[in-house]
């Protein structure tokens, strides 16, 4: 299990990732855009979201840092654009921690299966800390 940093950007994620690739001399990141995700006809993707970065990550000095653009219309505030990501192959342990963190907090997405994770969810705890949980099988 790991707790990793997740940085959000206001439409300039690609630029930031390219900058950090150069600064830390990392491998080029694989970028997934919102437009590349499976689409739901009941919720059409806004045109301005299609080229925005949904997810990418870099390894910096042995630590993974994840990145994303904020979805159009979602709040963004410079300085508060960091979340902590719990990444684990132990689904039960994740569920227990998620259930405790949501007490007095605000759940943005209950733990559920997504196209990228068997079990994913996000919340803000009672202290205002943003958390994401993602089940990943160790390979």
């Amino acid at each position: 299990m790991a707790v990793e940093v997740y940085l959000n950007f206001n439409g300039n994620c690609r630029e930031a990732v390219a900058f950090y690739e150069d600064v830390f001399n990392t491998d080029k990141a694989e970028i997934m855009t919102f437009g590349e995700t499976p689409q739901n006809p009941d919720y059409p993707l806004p045109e301005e979201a299609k080229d925005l970065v949904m997810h990418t990550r870099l390894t910096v000095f042995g630590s993974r840092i994840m990145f994303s653009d904020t979805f159009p219309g979602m709040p963004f505030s410079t300085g508060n654009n960091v979340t902590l990501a719990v990444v684990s192959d132990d689904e039960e342990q994740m569920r227990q921690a998620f259930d405790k963190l949501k007490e007095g907090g605000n759940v943005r997405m209950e733990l559920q299966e997504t196209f990228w994770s068997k079990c994913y969810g996000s919340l803000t705890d009672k202290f205002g800390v943003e958390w994401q949980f993602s089940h990943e099988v160790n390979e």
Side-chain angles (χ1 to χ4, degrees):
M1 183 182 306
V3 176
E4 300 173 352
V5 176
Y6 206 115
L7 302 174
N8 296 297
F9 294 86
N10 197 23
N12 60 343
C13 185
R14 281 179 199 275
E15 178 184 354
V17 169
F19 175 74
Y20 296 129
E21 287 170 344
D22 180 57
V23 167
F24 297 108
N25 194 28
T26 67
D27 292 336
K28 188 160 177 60
E30 293 183 29
I31 292 177
M32 176 186 286
T33 66
F34 286 105
E36 293 171 322
T37 64
Q39 302 300 303
N40 181 337
D42 295 332
Y43 302 99
L45 188 66
E47 196 61 38
E48 66 270 21
K50 290 183 179 178
D51 290 328
L52 294 176
V53 175
M54 183 186 144
H55 178 77
T56 191
R57 64 180 163 212
L58 295 174
T59 300
V60 175
F61 301 135
S63 295
R64 287 195 321 186
I65 301 174
M66 297 178 280
F67 303 82
S68 179
D69 277 313
T70 304
F71 196 80
M74 297 299 290
F76 177 87
S77 177
T78 301
N80 295 331
N81 55 328
V82 177
T83 63
L84 297 178
V86 175
V87 181
S88 177
D89 63 355
D90 186 334
E91 185 177 342
E92 184 58 33
Q93 190 176 31
M94 282 179 34
R95 288 187 180 281
Q96 289 174 4
F98 189 91
D99 286 343
K100 289 179 181 179
L101 278 174
K102 73 181 185 182
E103 292 176 20
N106 180 33
V107 175
R108 291 186 4 203
M109 182 176 181
E110 277 291 347
L111 289 173
Q112 60 190 272
E113 187 169 345
T114 65
F115 70 89
W116 70 86
S117 175
K118 176 182 171 189
C119 183
Y120 175 86
S122 63
L123 59 84
T124 303
D125 71 20
K126 65 183 178 181
F127 299 105
V129 176
E130 302 260 344
W131 295 87
Q132 295 182 58
F133 283 71
S134 187
H135 181 273
E136 285 188 15
V137 178
N138 287 334
E139 297 182 25

